[in-house]
Amino acid sequence: MSSDTARPRAAVVGLGARARLFTQALAGPYADRFELAGFCDVNPHRMAVHNTWLAEHHPGRTPVPTYLAEDFDEMLRRERIDLVVVCSVDRTHDHYIVRALEAGCDVVTEKPMTTDADKARRILDAQRRTGRDVRVAFNYRYNPVHSAVRELVASGEIGEVGSVHFEWLLDLRHGADYFRRWHRDKVNSGGLMVHKATHHFDLVNWWLGTRPESVYAQGGLFFYGDEAGRRRGLARDYHRAHGSPAAGSDPFAVHLADSPLLSALYLNAEAHDGYHRDQNVFAPGVTIEDDMAVLVRYATGATLTYHLTAYSPWEGYRIAFNGSAGRLELLVEESTWTRPRMPTNGSDPVLHGAEADDTAGRTELLLRRFWEKPREIEVATGEGGHGGGDVRMLQDLFGTRAPDPLHRAADATDGARSLVTGLAANHSFETGLPVRTGDLLEF
Ligand SMILES: NC(=O)c1ccc[n+]([C@@H]2O[C@H](COP(=O)([O-])OP(=O)(O)OC[C@H]3O[C@@H](n4cnc5c(N)ncnc54)[C@H](O)[C@@H]3O)[C@@H](O)[C@H]2O)c1
C-alpha cells in the first residue's frame, strides 16, 4: 500500500459496461475511502467514455489516467496502485489478477474468476504466495432473498438438505446477448457453464456450505447459431446489425444506434479494436451451448439437478431445497415476458441487471415444513441492480467492513469452487461421462 496517501489507490481494468458500477462507486460514495487512480483497457475510446461519465457526475474532477493493456504493469508502478478491480473479458482476468497480486496489490475481480483450470491454479498459487486478497464479485450472494435462503437453510428449518432442484431461465433479450458478442466464443467466456452458471454454482456452494465432488452434464446448442437458425427459418442474412437492412426485421437484433449508452461505449469505439457488440445470434461462429442440464454431487452427499436455458420467453429462476424436515421453494421472475424491440427513448436495450426490469414479476419464498401449513417468507426486495445485490456488495467491498454472519465475501477459493463445477460440466459435455472435480482442480 502506498505510504504517501491516506486513501488506497484503485485502478479498474476493462472499461466496458460492467465497470461503470465500480467507477461510479469509487468516484462517488466511496471516494473518501479510495482514490480512483488508473484505467486500463485495450480500447482508449471506452476509457475516455468512462472519464466523460465521471466528469458529468463530478464536475471539475481530474480525468483518471488511462493506460493501454500492455502498460498495465507501468500503471501499477507509476500510479502506486493498491487495489485492482478486474472487469475485462473473462479470458483475460487471470493475467491481471496474477500481475496485480505479484505487484503487491489486492484484487476485486468480476465473475467468473477465470475460464480454465490452469488459470485458476495460477491465481490460487499467486494468492497464496503473495498473501494479498482476492475478492470475487459474486453479487447474487448480496441479494436479500438469497441471504434469507442462506439463513433459513443454516437455521435448520428444513433439516439436513438432501437435494437441490434449480432451474435458471435467460430470456430472449438477455440470453440472446451472449450470442451477439465475445461470449459466443468459448475461449473468451468458458461458455455459459462458466460465464453465467458460476453465479448459480457459487450460490449452491454457499447455501449448503459445501463443495462439489462429481459432475455429470449434457448440453448443446439448440436454439442459436447458424445451423439451428437456418433449420427453423429464424436466421437472417447479416453478420452484424448496424448498417444491415436484413437486421431491421429481426427481433433478435440489437440496434446500437438506438441507445446513447451502447453507441458511446461500443459503436463509436469500434475503430480501435473492431469489437462488434451487435452480431447476428444466428450467424456462424457460436461455440457455446444454450441448453444445459447438470447433475452435481457435493461433499455433504447432497445432490443438485440444475438446468440453464438461454432462449426463454421469461427470465428468472425456480429453486427447491428438499430437506429432512421440509422443503424450501423460491421463485423469482426477473422478467415475465420479452419485448421484441426496446423503445428508442434512450433506455438501454440490452444491458441486464443495472436496474430492475419493468416487466419483473413475483418473488416468492415458501417454507413447507413437515406437518405444517406452507409459510410465505416476506423478504424486502432490494433497490438497484441484481435485486439490490450490487449496492450491498459495493458496501462490503469498499465500505467499512462489518462482521458478516452470512459470510458473503467470496475469495479465490470460492471463485475456484464455483468455477470447477462449470469446467467439469463442459468436460462432461465432451466425453459424455461423469467428472470428479478433484481431477480438474484441487483446492
Ligand atoms: N456480476 C455481474 O452481474 C456481471 C454483469 C455483467 C458483466 N460481468 C462481468 O464483467 C466483465 C465485463 O463484462 P462487460 O459486460 O462489461 O463486457 P464489455 O464487453 O462491455 O467490457 C469488456 C471490456 O474489456 C476490455 N478488454 C478486452 N480485452 C482486454 C484486455 N486484454 N485487457 C484489458 N481490457 C480488455 C474491452 O475493451 C471492454 O472495454 C466480465 O467478466 C463479465 O462476466 C458481471
Side-chain angles (χ1 to χ4, degrees):
M1 188 165 291
S2 51
S3 53
D4 59 345
T5 172
R7 285 178 301 166
R9 295 167 64 79
V12 179
V13 189
L15 280 299
R18 182 61 177 169
R20 197 173 185 187
L21 178 78
F22 298 99
T23 57
Q24 297 291 345
L26 288 166
Y30 301 101
D32 58 338
R33 296 184 53 84
F34 287 89
E35 171 125 18
L36 183 53
F39 283 165
C40 178
D41 200 298
V42 289
N43 193 307
H45 181 92
R46 267 191 285 281
M47 293 192 276
V49 169
H50 276 268
N51 263 323
T52 307
W53 286 337
L54 289 184
E56 280 167 15
H57 282 87
H58 310 282
R61 199 201 139 91
T62 314
V64 177
T66 59
Y67 290 81
L68 288 175
E70 60 268 28
D71 300 323
F72 177 73
D73 293 347
E74 191 194 331
M75 174 186 74
L76 297 186
R77 248 191 331 272
R78 197 190 288 175
E79 306 299 341
R80 306 182 317 283
I81 299 299
D82 303 296
L83 173 74
V84 174
V85 181
V86 180
C87 298
S88 51
V89 168
D90 302 349
R91 96 179 121 72
T92 68
H93 289 184
D94 66 305
H95 171 74
Y96 293 113
I97 296 171
V98 171
R99 298 299 303 151
L101 292 172
E102 283 173 346
C105 302
D106 292 325
V107 173
V108 170
T109 180
E110 258 306 343
K111 48 52 60 176
M113 185 172 78
T114 186
T115 49
D116 70 35
D118 286 342
K119 291 175 172 183
R121 264 189 294 274
R122 267 176 22 84
I123 293 170
L124 292 169
D125 289 349
Q127 195 279 322
R128 275 186 217 114
R129 206 169 49 242
T130 61
R132 306 306 315 182
D133 278 352
V134 175
R135 294 280 302 272
V136 183
F138 282 133
N139 46 352
Y140 273 103
R141 289 187 177 200
Y142 296 84
N143 179 327
V145 81
H146 297 160
S147 298
V149 167
R150 164 126 176 155
E151 276 166 351
L152 284 162
V153 171
S155 71
E157 287 274 17
I158 58 166
E160 187 185 338
V161 176
S163 61
V164 182
H165 191 67
F166 194 156
E167 178 188 38
W168 197 287
L169 301 168
L170 297 166
D171 67 18
L172 296 168
R173 172 171 79 126
H174 184 208
D177 213 33
Y178 299 113
F179 299 82
R180 297 190 183 106
R181 47 185 184 137
W182 50 264
H183 311 70
R184 73 204 308 269
D185 183 346
K186 211 165 194 172
V187 172
N188 289 328
S189 63
L192 293 179
M193 282 287 96
V194 169
H195 177 82
K196 188 69 202 171
T198 189
H199 276 305
H200 316 149
F201 297 143
D202 173 66
L203 283 174
V204 178
N205 293 344
W206 176 64
W207 280 326
L208 301 191
T210 187
R211 62 194 152 76
E213 284 195 342
S214 69
V215 177
Y216 172 70
Q218 292 280 329
L221 187 61
F222 170 78
F223 185 72
Y224 301 106
D226 54 332
E227 194 277 324
R230 234 187 356 261
R231 187 155 50 84
R232 299 196 185 94
L234 291 169
R236 310 285 204 285
D237 187 20
Y238 69 94
H239 167 67
R240 54 90 51 102
H242 186 68
S244 306
S249 61
D250 182 2
F252 291 93
V254 62
H255 301 276
L256 299 178
D258 286 357
S259 155
L261 189 148
L262 296 182
S263 296
L265 213 45
Y266 304 105
L267 191 57
N268 303 340
E270 289 179 358
H272 296 281
D273 57 8
Y275 173 10
H276 290 167
R277 174 74 178 74
D278 59 347
Q279 293 175 54
N280 181 349
V281 300
F282 300 113
V286 176
T287 57
I288 64 172
E289 298 79 16
D290 58 18
D291 194 309
M292 294 137 275
V294 185
L295 182 58
V296 184
R297 187 172 179 87
Y298 291 90
T300 56
T303 56
L304 163 72
T305 46
Y306 170 85
H307 205 119
L308 178 61
T309 308
Y311 55 90
S312 167
W314 67 280
E315 175 140 331
Y317 44 105
R318 290 177 197 279
I319 311 172
F321 299 80
N322 297 303
S324 57
R327 185 175 149 102
L328 183 64
E329 297 170 351
L330 174 64
L331 167 68
V332 177
E333 294 174 324
E334 292 189 341
S335 81
T336 48
W337 64 287
T338 318
R339 287 194 177 86
R341 186 165 174 164
M342 292 294 123
T344 56
N345 59 0
S347 73
D348 148 48
V350 282
L351 298 181
H352 172 84
E355 55 201 36
D357 196 299
D358 66 357
T359 65
R362 283 174 300 165
T363 292
E364 194 177 85
L365 182 59
L366 210 55
L367 178 62
R368 298 174 182 274
R369 283 170 50 79
F370 290 172
W371 323 117
E372 292 178 16
K373 284 185 181 167
R375 179 152 58 94
E376 187 160 353
I377 309 293
E378 293 293 333
V379 182
T381 35
E383 301 227 330
H386 297 100
D390 283 344
V391 175
R392 288 174 174 76
M393 179 182 73
L394 290 171
Q395 170 61 29
D396 197 30
L397 288 173
F398 304 137
T400 320
R401 287 280 295 281
D404 181 7
L406 295 172
H407 303 291
R408 285 172 297 186
D411 63 14
T413 302
D414 296 315
R417 278 192 179 155
S418 141
L419 172 70
V420 78
T421 307
L423 294 178
N426 278 338
H427 202 63
S428 188
F429 292 162
E430 285 169 20
T431 62
L433 297 171
V435 176
R436 273 179 21 87
T437 57
D439 292 343
L440 293 180
L441 198 56
E442 291 281 6
F443 38 74

